[in-house]
Amino acid sequence: MRSSAASEQAPPTDAPPAGQEQVEERPRESSKTPVRSELAETTAQPEPAATQAELEALEESLEVWRDRALRLQAERENFRKRQQRLAEVRIAEGRERVLRSFLQVADDLERVLNAGEVDVKSLRQGVNLTYQTLMRLLAQEGVEPIQAVGQPFDPAWHEAVGTIPYQNAGAEPNTVVKVEQEGYRLGDRLLRPARVIVAA
């Protein structure tokens, strides 16, 4: 009985001696952790700033591009001025050519006026020749009379200055029956509308 009681009361072998507190052992931290942290901090550091040589090269490149931009702007302005001068020269040459042609009409009229005493028939012939010369010059420039008589009234080309009952005119309503003043066109552009009388 005693032996069994003694065995039950015997302290475990792992228990600390009397008077000493049991110390709980903690797992040791790995010594590699600080090393990894230092490596991460080293990797996260920003790259060093550009060197002085790189900055100078960048400034030189910017200066080259700035110079090119200024040259292109100057060339564009010079091209615009050249085109403007060419346009002005062409306009002036065109005006001179047209005016030089019309001098012939002035010459014809001057000859009629300096002819002295002439009969009405001769005067009429001279004026008619001058008129034909003028119309020929206009045709050379692309100017042509607007067709009006017998045509439907078109406000794009005709200007109505009066009306007449269609029964009296012997024409359909809204038809041009008479031209008071000739109209002229230059291709599809209107120079002057024909002033007309319209059947209504």
Side-chain angles (χ1 to χ4, degrees):
M1 296 293 290
R2 288 181 181 178
S3 61
S4 61
S7 61
E8 290 177 358
Q9 295 177 358
T13 56
D14 294 337
Q20 295 185 0
E21 296 180 356
Q22 184 177 359
V23 178
E24 182 180 357
E25 294 185 359
R26 298 180 179 178
R28 295 183 178 180
E29 296 180 357
S30 174
S31 60
K32 294 182 179 180
T33 302
V35 176
R36 291 179 181 175
S37 177
E38 292 176 0
L39 289 175
E41 292 178 359
T42 303
T43 306
Q45 290 180 357
E47 296 181 357
T51 62
Q52 183 66 25
E54 291 175 343
L55 291 176
E56 292 178 356
L58 181 60
E59 291 179 357
E60 183 177 354
S61 177
L62 290 175
E63 186 64 27
V64 170
W65 283 107
R66 187 181 297 109
D67 182 69
R68 290 180 180 178
L70 292 175
R71 288 177 181 272
L72 287 175
Q73 184 177 1
E75 290 178 1
R76 184 179 63 181
E77 183 65 18
N78 291 335
F79 176 78
R80 185 187 66 80
K81 291 180 179 179
R82 286 196 302 271
Q83 293 299 110
Q84 184 177 357
R85 286 195 297 269
L86 286 175
E88 292 174 353
V89 169
R90 289 174 181 174
I91 291 174
E93 290 176 348
R95 292 179 62 186
E96 291 175 2
R97 178 178 56 81
V98 172
L99 294 174
R100 192 177 297 112
S101 300
F102 278 91
L103 292 177
Q104 183 179 352
V105 178
D107 294 338
D108 292 342
L109 292 174
E110 185 178 5
R111 279 192 292 270
V112 172
L113 294 174
N114 294 332
E117 293 185 3
V118 293
D119 56 19
V120 176
K121 183 178 180 180
S122 299
L123 181 61
R124 186 178 182 84
Q125 290 177 347
V127 173
N128 185 57
L129 289 175
T130 303
Y131 175 75
Q132 295 298 328
T133 301
L134 175 61
M135 296 305 295
R136 184 176 67 253
L137 294 176
L138 290 174
Q140 290 176 358
E141 297 300 322
V143 178
E144 57 183 343
I146 295 175
Q147 300 299 323
V149 176
Q151 301 295 322
F153 176 77
D154 186 350
W157 304 105
H158 307 144
E159 178 185 351
V161 296
T163 59
I164 185 174
Y166 71 93
Q167 298 90 343
N168 299 339
E172 294 293 329
N174 202 43
T175 301
V176 176
V177 295
K178 184 179 180 182
V179 175
E180 295 291 333
Q181 186 181 61
E182 289 287 351
Y184 295 92
R185 59 190 293 176
L186 179 61
D188 293 333
R189 297 179 63 87
L190 177 67
L191 295 180
R192 188 180 72 185
R195 306 186 68 185
V196 297
I197 305 294
V198 183

